Amino acid sequence: MAHSLAPPTAPAILRNSNLDAEAVRQARIDLAACFRMAGRLGLHEGICNHLSFVVPGRDDLFLVNPYGWAFSEITASRLLVCDFHGNVIAGEGVPEATAFYIHARVHKNLPRARAAFHTHMPNATALAMLEGPPLVWAGQTALKFYGRTMIDEDYAGLALDEAEGDRIAASIGDADIVFMKNHGVMVVGGSIAEAWDDLYYLERACEVQRLAMATGRALKPVPPEMAEKTYRQMREGDRESARLHLESIKRILAQEAPDFAT
């Protein structure tokens, strides 16, 4: 299912960049923590899913996982630094082809998308396979995403060229959560912590909705005005909650799998 990215013919040129800066090192650790916990929670699929983040201090480089490594194997130093032309600036290996064509174009075309997390996590992907809106605003956790989602209805096979990456980026608009029909989900955010928090709670919201749907009984949606009120209540403390959530998983991993930060 996964495809290796062919190396570009043009050499990489890197100017005025300090890839050893503390902010870059911290971003590597934070992103590696997300990979590890996503792997533990079953939010991955083999070697086919990707999490990326724009390199701090740069608008033309991004961190992404190398092709051929499972989420559970990712460490801070194993992450690649790539540019938007397919050049690997730092690290060993290459990104998976669809990782490059989706993430490079999302980061380039949507500057607000500092983080871009794309997975085929089972519950969210299951809902993306159904006709109609994936999320029903019937559970409190789902209301975190009220007014923040969009649906990409135009499945076009594997993203193996820039045109498909550009189409996906254009379709996102102002949304933070994209249900890619017949495919999976994409979460974009201004920080690694925010993207992680949304990814985690999106799968939980989809899981409880799937369980409720499995009873065969009708779902009871929250009225729109209450859904909007609850969403706004949640958003007031979302950024700090996301930061603390990421800190918690780093503490857990520091005890149980400390090599993630190496």
Side-chain angles (χ1 to χ4, degrees):
M1 292 177 64
H3 291 64
S4 178
L5 180 70
T9 56
I13 299 175
L14 188 61
R15 298 188 180 94
N16 302 321
S17 180
N18 182 3
L19 297 184
D20 296 321
E22 179 56 30
V24 179
R25 171 65 180 162
Q26 191 58 58
R28 284 181 172 275
I29 292 172
D30 289 353
L31 193 57
C34 294
F35 277 107
R36 288 297 187 93
M37 190 55 72
R40 288 181 170 216
L41 298 175
L43 308 185
H44 64 311
E45 186 174 60
I47 58 171
C48 297
N49 294 176
H50 339 107
L51 314 180
S52 64
F53 184 64
V54 175
V55 172
R58 297 290 300 234
D59 292 324
D60 57 342
L61 303 175
F62 64 101
L63 292 162
V64 70
N65 44 315
Y67 175 58
W69 297 86
F71 278 21
S72 61
E73 299 178 290
I74 296 299
T75 64
S77 61
R78 188 160 284 153
L79 293 168
L80 304 176
V81 175
C82 298
D83 68 14
F84 296 151
H85 306 289
N87 297 299
V88 175
I89 305 301
E92 296 184 7
V94 295
E96 198 270 326
T98 62
F100 171 73
Y101 286 115
I102 293 175
H103 292 250
R105 305 314 287 179
V106 168
H107 289 310
K108 183 177 187 299
N109 297 342
L110 291 175
R112 69 180 181 85
R114 304 296 291 178
F117 288 11
H118 170 56
T119 75
H120 302 165
M121 53 192 189
N123 293 288
T125 300
L127 296 187
M129 294 165 59
L130 303 177
E131 290 282 358
L135 267 185
V136 177
W137 310 114
Q140 178 170 285
T141 302
L143 300 181
K144 173 178 169 67
F145 307 106
Y146 189 76
R148 300 175 60 209
T149 68
M150 64 82 59
I151 304 169
D152 180 4
E153 296 278 3
D154 300 319
Y155 178 69
L158 299 183
L160 295 176
D161 56 46
E162 289 186 348
E164 177 60 8
D166 285 336
R167 186 196 67 77
I168 291 171
S171 73
I172 294 173
D174 295 328
D176 298 321
I177 313 298
V178 183
F179 283 93
M180 307 164 81
K181 283 297 183 84
N182 312 109
H183 185 175
V185 295
M186 169 80 79
V187 172
V188 299
S191 71
I192 292 171
E194 290 171 275
W196 165 256
D197 199 59
D198 279 347
L199 189 79
Y200 172 84
Y201 284 109
L202 179 65
E203 180 67 353
R204 295 293 289 176
C206 292
E207 181 181 16
V208 295
Q209 179 176 311
R210 182 183 60 80
L211 290 171
M213 292 167 65
T215 68
R217 297 173 60 184
L219 297 178
K220 177 178 169 50
V222 175
E225 61 276 11
M226 185 54 65
E228 174 72 21
K229 175 184 177 181
T230 307
Y231 154 75
R232 293 192 179 281
Q233 290 174 328
M234 290 181 170
R235 291 297 278 175
E236 285 178 5
D238 237 10
R239 185 168 296 178
E240 178 63 4
S241 180
R243 185 189 70 80
L244 293 173
H245 188 183
L246 180 57
E247 291 300 313
S248 76
I249 71 169
K250 287 191 291 184
R251 287 194 300 272
I252 292 169
L253 292 170
Q255 291 293 319
E256 301 178 3
D259 65 308
F260 87 93
T262 62

